[in-house]
Amino acid sequence: MSQTMPRYYFDVVDAQGTERDDVGQILPNLQAARTESLRALIDIAREQFASGRTATLQINVRTDDDIAVSSDCLQLTRTAIQ
């Protein structure tokens, strides 16, 4: 009997509030979900930083049962030296 892979949801939190992930992704395990969370955080940060915005970004990972299993946070700042 094969075991069903779990679905993880990635909620993005920034200055505008929380964008709840209603679709999620089927991944083999929690480590894969944590890796995906970091990948997404870096992609979002790249877009934010390229537009000149500073931000604190967070991705909260939860399961189908709405249980939080991981959270990654990144703060972006830009300081003009001259």
Side-chain angles (χ1 to χ4, degrees), residues 10-15 17-19 37 40-41 44-45 55-61 70-75:
F10 301 85
D11 301 330
V12 178
V13 182
D14 63 13
T18 301
E19 183 178 332
S37 175
L41 190 63
I44 295 166
T56 299
L57 304 170
Q58 182 173 333
I59 294 184
N60 298 321
V61 182
S70 184
S71 182
D72 294 300
C73 185
L74 178 65
Q75 183 172 356

Side-chain angles (χ1 to χ4, degrees), residues 20-82:
R20 189 170 169 89
D21 179 4
D22 294 325
V23 177
Q25 292 184 39
I26 296 172
L27 297 166
N29 54 41
L30 179 56
Q31 185 56 45
R34 288 178 173 154
T35 299
E36 182 59 32
S37 175
L38 285 175
R39 242 185 240 132
L41 190 63
I42 290 167
D43 287 346
I44 295 166
R46 185 179 295 118
E47 292 172 16
Q48 296 276 333
F49 204 64
S51 67
R53 291 182 279 176
T54 60
T56 299
L57 304 170
Q58 182 173 333
I59 294 184
N60 298 321
V61 182
R62 58 188 167 78
T63 63
D64 265 333
D65 299 325
D66 209 30
I67 297 171
V69 293
S70 184
S71 182
D72 294 300
C73 185
L74 178 65
Q75 183 172 356
L76 299 170
T77 58
R78 177 175 277 169
T79 304
I81 303 299
Q82 291 191 11

